Amino acid sequence: MVDNGTAVKTRFPSRAQAIDALLARDEGFRDMCSDYTTAEEELRKWRSSSEQHRDVHITEYNELVDELAAEIDATLDRAAVVPFPKR
C-alpha cells in the first residue's frame, strides 16, 4: 500500500510542498488523500483483473480518481490563496 501523501504527490509532483503542509494540518485533506489512494489502488487492481465486469469497474474507478484529483487540486489552489489583512 502506498501512503496517502505519496500517491497524491505522484499525481501532483510540482505541489509536493503544499501537499505536505496540508497533510500536516488539515484532517479533511488527509481523508481526501486517503480516499484518492484507495481509489488508485482499486483501479490498479481492476486493471490487472480478469473478472467478467472488469471494464465497468475500471471506468468507475477512473472517474472516481479523476473527481478526487480535481477536488484535491481545488483544495490546493484554495490553500495557496493568502488573503490580504483588513486595515
Side-chain angles (χ1 to χ4, degrees), residues 17-67:
Q17 281 186 306
I19 291 165
D20 286 338
L22 273 177
L23 285 171
R25 71 175 191 264
D26 188 326
E27 184 177 351
F29 186 73
R30 285 191 299 270
D31 291 342
M32 195 182 324
C33 290
S34 177
D35 293 344
Y36 177 85
T37 300
T38 301
E40 280 260 318
E41 289 171 350
E42 287 297 311
L43 179 58
R44 277 193 298 278
K45 180 186 89 171
W46 283 108
R47 282 182 175 157
S48 64
S49 174
S50 60
E51 291 188 34
Q52 181 180 6
H53 300 289
R54 171 186 181 267
D55 292 340
V56 172
H57 293 290
I58 289 172
T59 299
E60 290 172 350
Y61 279 105
N62 264 325
E63 290 174 9
L64 181 58
V65 165
D66 289 344
E67 289 171 6

